[in-house]
Amino acid sequence: MVELRHVKALSSMAQSCSGIGDCRTAYRQALGWYGVCPMVDHTPGFEPYYARGKIRAIRGILEGKIEPSEGFARVMYHCTTCGACKAVCHVSGVAQITWPTSKYIDHTRLFEAVRTDLVELGLGPMPRHREILDWARREHNPYMEKHEDKFRWASGRELRSRADVFFFTGCTGPYRMPAVCQDVYDVAAAAGVSLAVSPDEWCCGSIALRVGDRGLAETLARHNLEVFEKAEAKTIVTHCAGCYRTIKKDYPEILGELPFEVLHVTELLARLVEDGRLELTEGELTVTYHDPCHLGRHCEVYEEPRRLIGSAPGVKLVEMKRNRSGALCCGAGGGVKSAFPELALSIARERLAQAKETGARLLLSACPFCERNLSDAGAANPSLKVQVKDVSSFLKERLKMK
Ligand code: SF4
Ligand code: SF4
């Protein structure tokens, strides 16, 4: 019998599932019955595509009833690690809905553990993930780009190598959405905060952790800690929600207590606006906001982006029906965009339709990875096109020039 050692350590989670199935379809007064897991409507939708079925399959392996196989692995990688299942599950520790019970499931932790076991067994990750991780081992990014090209976005800016606040740029921004890096840097500078950056920064390791390559993630984390220490940073700020979750929640598990504070850029900018250090111009506009899963459900940063948007005079924020802990994932996370690109776009189309339904002309978010997938889906479907923009870029356009 094959042993899944990482899952075995969490076997009480696999035993905690009551099987009621809110993780597939749940009822909320504001929404009626709705599909919780993005996999249900965008895959064949059989049980193992969503949390209850995944947990049943894991239990089957722990009990020796089934063996891990390529088919099992493929289904386990059909998950964006969005955490929507955890947000509705009555044994997940969520205060408003948890039953009085000692049972407990942290769904994404369990699914990442099974992926780590699959990697150790040679059944994971998916073929495209392997190519990406091999590249990240050599060039420290998952985008098949040269490391030395990472700081092209900074051209014309005088960058500091040491400062209290270090801007961890991640990979999606510098290689795929460089304007967002420029906008973060420029908005902070307008508030009098010079951000340090380092050409030695490597990928945060999020993709490695999400698809189960813990060894690579640990190497990347150790390297980045040295970079942060060299910069003498007291605060690390990220604009990518995936980097934020990884540095804030995963690094302490890998490296121990961190000697600095970790902020998402929306938290930093909200402080600066509240201190009166950023003044914004007036202009009537209706916008909506997409909660990135790794910022919202994973780290509970819901209000800072909204406060920032609301600080722009004349801007009206209208919520999508699914917002905050109930938000629909953009479809890209957990290695889905790289391994199953059509699935990622299909989920993003549903999210764009929800944004369009609000009547807003602009869909703001706070993660370049979400914005990229939503933009890709919009570009291929003109009827769904809503302009997608990062909150930092939105603020930069509205900065009052002194
Ligand atoms: S994972 Fe949670 S919501 Fe889903 S069936 Fe199990 S106990 Fe119910
Ligand atoms: S984490 Fe998201 S995609 Fe994965 S099973 Fe849960 S709801 Fe579905």
Side-chain angles (χ1 to χ4, degrees):
M1 181 175 136
V2 178
E3 188 166 283
L4 304 183
R5 68 186 182 103
H6 295 93
V7 161
K8 205 171 167 200
L10 304 177
S11 64
S12 67
M13 290 193 190
Q15 303 303 337
S16 287
C17 175
S18 65
I20 289 174
D22 277 1
C23 49
R24 177 189 172 100
T25 316
Y27 182 82
R28 291 289 176 275
Q29 208 169 7
L31 296 169
W33 287 101
Y34 73 104
V36 172
C37 174
M39 295 301 128
V40 174
D41 289 334
H42 298 276
T43 67
F46 304 129
E47 282 272 322
Y49 283 100
Y50 69 97
R52 180 174 68 186
K54 282 183 166 56
I55 294 170
R56 289 277 163 88
I58 290 168
R59 213 191 269 178
I61 288 175
L62 287 172
E63 291 168 1
K65 292 179 182 155
I66 52 173
E67 287 284 313
S69 63
E70 282 181 13
F72 170 80
R74 204 175 149 75
V75 149
M76 287 296 149
Y77 282 97
H78 275 75
C79 167
T80 60
T81 65
C82 71
C85 44
K86 184 171 188 242
V88 297
C89 176
H90 48 272
V91 293
S92 64
V94 175
Q96 314 87 298
I97 53 172
T98 294
W99 289 352
T101 170
S102 58
K103 293 177 185 293
Y104 175 69
I105 311 173
D106 180 337
H107 303 64
T108 52
R109 180 177 285 266
L110 184 62
F111 302 151
E112 285 176 13
V114 81
R115 291 173 176 196
T116 307
D117 284 321
L118 289 167
V119 168
E120 288 185 1
L121 292 172
L123 292 168
M126 295 291 98
R128 181 60 180 158
H129 296 148
R130 283 175 216 242
E131 292 168 10
I132 284 172
L133 297 180
D134 282 348
W135 188 267
R137 249 173 227 108
R138 292 199 301 276
E139 289 291 335
H140 323 309
N141 75 82
Y143 284 111
M144 306 298 185
E145 301 284 355
K146 297 299 259 180
H147 177 72
E148 65 251 31
D149 293 338
K150 188 166 191 173
F151 279 85
R152 280 196 183 157
W153 67 266
S155 133
R157 288 165 179 79
E158 275 183 38
L159 300 180
R160 298 180 63 176
S161 57
R162 282 190 173 74
D164 285 352
V165 187
F166 182 96
F167 176 25
F168 184 85
T169 60
C171 299
T172 306
Y175 291 117
R176 293 292 178 266
M177 305 192 67
V180 181
C181 291
Q182 293 165 351
D183 296 340
V184 168
Y185 188 87
D186 294 346
V187 174
V193 178
S194 283
L195 300 173
V197 296
S198 169
D200 293 331
E201 165 199 308
W202 288 358
C203 169
C204 69
S206 175
I207 178 68
L209 281 170
R210 305 304 150 233
V211 305
D213 190 337
R214 214 172 159 83
L216 174 58
E218 289 177 8
T219 303
L220 297 168
R222 288 207 176 85
H223 171 86
N224 285 328
L225 178 63
E226 282 174 22
V227 171
F228 300 151
E229 285 175 343
K230 220 183 266 177
E232 297 168 9
K234 296 191 179 111
T235 301
I236 307 300
V237 65
T238 77
H239 63 144
C240 173
C243 300
Y244 178 69
R245 190 236 128 96
T246 301
I247 299 175
K248 186 156 183 128
K249 292 186 88 171
D250 296 305
Y251 277 22
E253 288 189 11
I254 296 170
L255 304 166
E257 195 184 340
L258 300 177
F260 43 74
E261 168 190 44
V262 183
L263 291 180
H264 187 261
V265 69
T266 54
E267 294 176 294
L268 174 72
L269 296 180
R271 284 184 194 175
L272 296 173
V273 166
E274 277 146 23
D275 289 349
R277 290 167 69 177
L278 279 172
E279 278 189 71
L280 304 173
T281 55
E282 182 148 5
E284 300 282 312
L285 187 64
T286 301
V287 305
T288 190
Y289 174 72
H290 166 75
D291 289 276
C293 303
H294 285 101
L295 187 64
R297 272 188 292 266
H298 284 245
C299 295
E300 297 186 5
V301 178
Y302 295 117
E303 300 313 320
E304 285 83 351
R306 289 176 167 81
R307 286 214 303 276
L308 268 181
I309 295 165
S311 69
V315 172
K316 184 174 165 210
L317 172 63
V318 284
E319 295 286 356
M320 286 183 260
K321 279 190 193 143
R322 292 190 60 180
N323 62 68
R324 296 182 173 82
S325 66
L328 176 67
C329 172
C330 77
V336 166
K337 187 161 176 73
S338 45
F340 311 109
E342 275 312 312
L343 171 60
L345 290 175
S346 175
I347 298 167
R349 283 195 288 274
E350 184 181 352
R351 191 57 170 159
L352 283 180
Q354 293 174 359
K356 207 167 173 193
E357 201 182 74
T358 65
R361 285 174 34 210
L362 188 59
L363 169 57
L364 294 173
S365 193
C367 174
F369 198 55
C370 299
E371 290 148 23
R372 183 167 164 245
N373 196 45
L374 293 165
S375 300
D376 289 350
N381 296 273
S383 67
L384 286 175
K385 196 138 174 60
V386 182
Q387 198 190 358
V388 180
K389 196 171 277 184
D390 191 271
V391 174
S392 301
S393 304
F394 166 75
L395 290 180
K396 185 173 161 190
E397 286 170 1
R398 290 185 159 244
L399 277 183
K400 208 177 249 180
M401 293 303 165
K402 292 184 180 156

